[in-house]
Amino acid sequence: MESLGGNLNGTLFKREWFFNTRQDIMAGAVVGLALIPEAIAFSIIAGVDPKVGLYASFIIAVMTAFLGGRPGSISAATGAMALLMIDLVRDHGLQYLFAATLLTGVLQVLFGVFKLGRQMRYIPRAVMIGYINALAVLIFLAQLPQLTNVPPTVYVLTILSLAIIYILPRFTKAVPSPLVALAVMTLAAIALKLNVPTVGDMGELPTTLPLFSLPQVPLTLETLRITLPYSLTLAIVGLLASFLTASLVDELTDTPSDKNQEARGQGIANIVTAFFGGMAGCGMIGQSVINVQSGGRGRLSTLASGIFLLFAILFLQDWVKQMPMATLVAVMIMVSIGTFRWSSFKNIPRIPRSETAVMLTTMLVTIFTRNFALGVVTGIVMSTVFFSRKIAQLVFVDKVLSNDGSHRIYKVAGQIFFLSRDEFLESFDFAELVDRVTIDLTYAHLWDQGAVEVLDKAALKFRRNGAEVELIGLNEASATLLNKLAIYQQFNAVKK
């Protein structure tokens, strides 16, 4: 048995790591280089040095390669997480960001241990699309300060960078067009001695491997009070983005992922990055798509992306420092445009209005509050209400009258709960003069106190009109609920 177990583990290891070696390394190299401008840009959004995002991207990519639940998925510093850190960094400083990142990781590990990843299936698609659209809009809005009160040359570089990013792929995709834009614009800025903001103006770049250190914050309840709200939001948003990314890679590769393992992997990755001067990160939809489209399938592609990223930032940093911020803005505009689900607006005439309302509400609440968790919760509540209303309307009642006109049978089908009240009662004719009424619930189910209450009400109305009432066909769960709560058979109930 031990030999069999060893063979199975060996087969699984090979299937996840070395079944696609060459393509995984090539795809990882492309993604690793493409991560550089994004990690720098996300650091600037969060208000920290570029090295914070670069260290985080390296560590999170490497850790999730070994511990994540979705081989081929790319995780690193992201815009969704960076947007949530702005106030914390501004009000309390970098060390509190590291403490919040550590707590974020702990919460995500707990989510994975308690298998909360499975609850993702309860998040409606309309909410997910609203979330993604809001993320795209906020990433775009975060670029506006870099385009305000700047020399005209910045606008020229931004437009030229966007032209390279979007036109070059029509001719070749051998090298990611954002990297080409960065290389060309950096060379142009150096050669022409352009006076424009550069990455070097934004803060310090890494010169060594990340070093271990504890977050320098007081271990007090006040620290917990400051960091916990940010960490909880980061943990939820990070897992939401990671699960969405994993689901997308599932679809692209037609293979399954383990959401609970992904939660634990993301959590451990964030814990480790907090000890090495990095910011919290999560799954990246755009980079994961690039990885899969470049041939990456296994864990080796994720690991290679982290290794290539580290190599580039340690040995190419003299060039990275001179990258024009205008080109990074163009890269983030590209990310924003690519992230936005344009089809969600194009298909509005064909989508149920309730789903459109949920998508727009999720998106607008997130944008105006800049709180992703609040936006998602609002969307889920709206979806629940709309879905319940639809189910409540699916109550059918057939009526059969005996030949002598003394016995009426109502055959009920559907889900009876608090929202079914009006539809259920409107199906009965309480003014009809009959001796007996039978309510057949063979094809119905009672879900809550509201169902028992409305059934009580119908039965008592018939009894007050002098008819005998009989309920038949109840399934076990409905009968148990009715026996505990119903009062229609009580003698005094008729008089109330």
Side-chain angles (χ1 to χ4, degrees):
M1 290 297 289
E2 289 183 2
S3 176
L4 178 61
N7 290 336
L8 288 174
N9 289 334
T11 302
L12 181 62
F13 178 77
K14 184 176 180 181
R15 191 173 65 194
E16 292 192 343
W17 279 94
F18 297 112
F19 70 102
N20 188 41
T21 304
R22 181 176 174 277
Q23 289 88 341
D24 279 349
I25 292 176
M26 292 297 293
V30 171
V31 173
L33 295 176
L35 277 174
I36 295 175
E38 292 196 5
I40 294 172
F42 295 143
S43 302
I44 293 167
I45 289 175
V48 299
D49 286 341
K51 70 176 183 180
V52 176
L54 291 167
Y55 279 157
S57 294
F58 161 66
I59 293 170
I60 293 171
V62 171
M63 295 301 297
T64 53
F66 289 97
L67 302 174
R70 176 59 261 184
S73 174
I74 302 297
S75 298
T78 66
M81 302 291 264
L83 288 165
L84 300 173
M85 304 168 185
I86 297 173
D87 293 342
L88 177 63
V89 174
R90 182 192 61 211
D91 297 340
H92 301 285
L94 184 60
Q95 293 300 321
Y96 277 84
L97 172 61
F98 297 152
T101 298
L102 174 60
L103 186 54
T104 297
V106 173
L107 292 172
Q108 290 178 328
V109 170
L110 291 176
F111 287 161
V113 170
F114 291 110
K115 301 185 185 304
L116 295 182
R118 298 179 61 185
Q119 311 311 316
M120 265 294 291
R121 58 185 173 177
Y122 296 112
I123 298 180
R125 180 172 174 77
V127 176
M128 292 184 180
I129 293 174
Y131 163 88
I132 292 172
N133 286 346
L135 171 61
V137 172
L138 289 175
I139 289 175
F140 179 81
L141 294 177
Q143 308 312 308
L144 297 183
Q146 298 294 335
L147 298 173
T148 306
N149 298 323
V150 293
T153 313
V154 170
Y155 300 110
V156 175
L157 289 182
T158 303
I159 293 171
L160 290 175
S161 300
L162 285 169
I164 293 174
I165 288 170
Y166 283 105
I167 295 176
L168 182 63
R170 298 181 183 180
F171 300 96
T172 178
K173 295 182 180 179
V175 182
S177 60
L179 279 180
V180 175
L182 279 169
V184 171
M185 291 300 124
T186 302
L187 289 172
I190 295 172
L192 300 175
K193 298 181 180 179
L194 299 177
N195 183 24
V196 294
T198 63
V199 170
D201 298 329
M202 298 298 114
E204 185 183 356
L205 289 175
T207 56
T208 64
L209 291 171
L211 301 175
F212 178 86
S213 67
L214 295 173
Q216 300 300 307
V217 295
L219 298 177
T220 63
L221 288 176
E222 178 63 14
T223 300
L224 183 64
R225 185 191 67 77
I226 293 171
T227 56
L228 183 58
Y230 290 100
S231 297
L232 187 58
T233 306
L234 286 167
I236 293 172
V237 170
L239 289 184
L240 188 61
S242 299
F243 292 160
L244 285 173
T245 303
S247 297
L248 185 60
V249 177
D250 290 350
E251 291 180 14
L252 293 174
T253 61
D254 196 25
T255 55
S257 60
D258 184 334
K259 300 292 193 305
N260 293 316
Q261 184 180 343
E262 179 69 11
R264 295 192 296 272
Q266 291 288 336
I268 295 172
N270 279 323
I271 290 172
V272 173
T273 195
F275 288 127
F276 286 90
M279 57 198 275
C282 62
M284 303 180 78
I285 291 176
Q287 294 295 346
S288 297
V289 170
I290 292 174
N291 187 45
V292 172
Q293 290 179 342
S294 301
R297 293 291 186 276
R299 295 182 182 276
L300 188 59
S301 64
T302 309
L303 177 64
S305 69
I307 299 296
F308 276 102
L309 169 66
L310 182 67
F311 175 83
I313 60 178
L314 289 182
F315 295 100
L316 302 177
Q317 70 165 271
D318 287 340
W319 290 89
V320 173
K321 280 181 181 176
Q322 300 181 74
M323 288 179 179
M325 283 303 299
T327 305
L328 282 180
V329 168
V331 171
M332 295 314 299
I333 291 175
M334 176 208 72
V335 172
S336 172
I337 293 173
T339 302
F340 198 90
R341 292 296 181 264
W342 301 96
S343 60
S344 62
F345 282 80
K346 182 181 176 182
N347 294 332
I348 280 180
R350 294 187 291 167
I351 295 176
R353 282 183 293 180
S354 60
E355 291 195 32
T356 300
V358 170
M359 184 272 289
L360 290 174
T361 303
T362 303
M363 178 179 161
L364 294 175
V365 169
T366 304
I367 291 172
F368 285 107
T369 65
R370 304 205 170 213
N371 187 325
F372 286 87
L374 180 61
V376 170
V377 169
T378 303
I380 291 175
V381 170
M382 283 187 67
S383 295
T384 303
V385 171
F386 287 142
F387 178 74
S388 300
R389 286 180 59 186
K390 288 180 181 176
I391 293 297
Q393 293 168 357
L394 298 178
V395 175
F396 305 98
V397 180
D398 286 335
K399 305 173 186 177
V400 179
L401 186 63
S402 63
N403 292 333
D404 61 2
S406 64
H407 183 198
R408 172 67 75 181
I409 300 174
Y410 293 95
K411 296 182 178 180
V412 182
Q415 309 303 312
I416 314 299
F417 59 109
F418 68 99
L419 282 179
S420 314
R421 176 188 179 92
D422 294 340
E423 289 77 8
F424 186 77
L425 289 177
E426 288 171 0
S427 304
F428 297 97
D429 182 2
F430 298 109
E432 185 179 33
L433 296 175
V434 291
D435 295 331
R436 290 177 56 204
V437 170
T438 299
I439 302 178
D440 185 351
L441 296 159
T442 302
Y443 300 103
H445 186 90
L446 308 183
W447 283 101
D448 57 11
Q449 294 182 55
V452 176
E453 180 188 3
V454 73
L455 199 58
D456 261 339
K457 192 168 185 175
L460 288 171
K461 278 193 171 186
F462 283 124
R463 289 188 65 189
R464 289 183 184 122
N465 287 342
E468 294 181 8
V469 179
E470 181 184 19
L471 306 184
I472 65 172
L474 287 160
N475 58 41
E476 184 177 351
S478 299
T480 301
L481 188 65
L482 198 70
N483 291 334
K484 287 181 179 178
L485 302 175
I487 62 170
Y488 72 96
Q489 289 180 316
Q490 296 176 9
F491 177 76
N492 293 331
V494 179
K495 298 179 180 178
K496 293 180 180 177

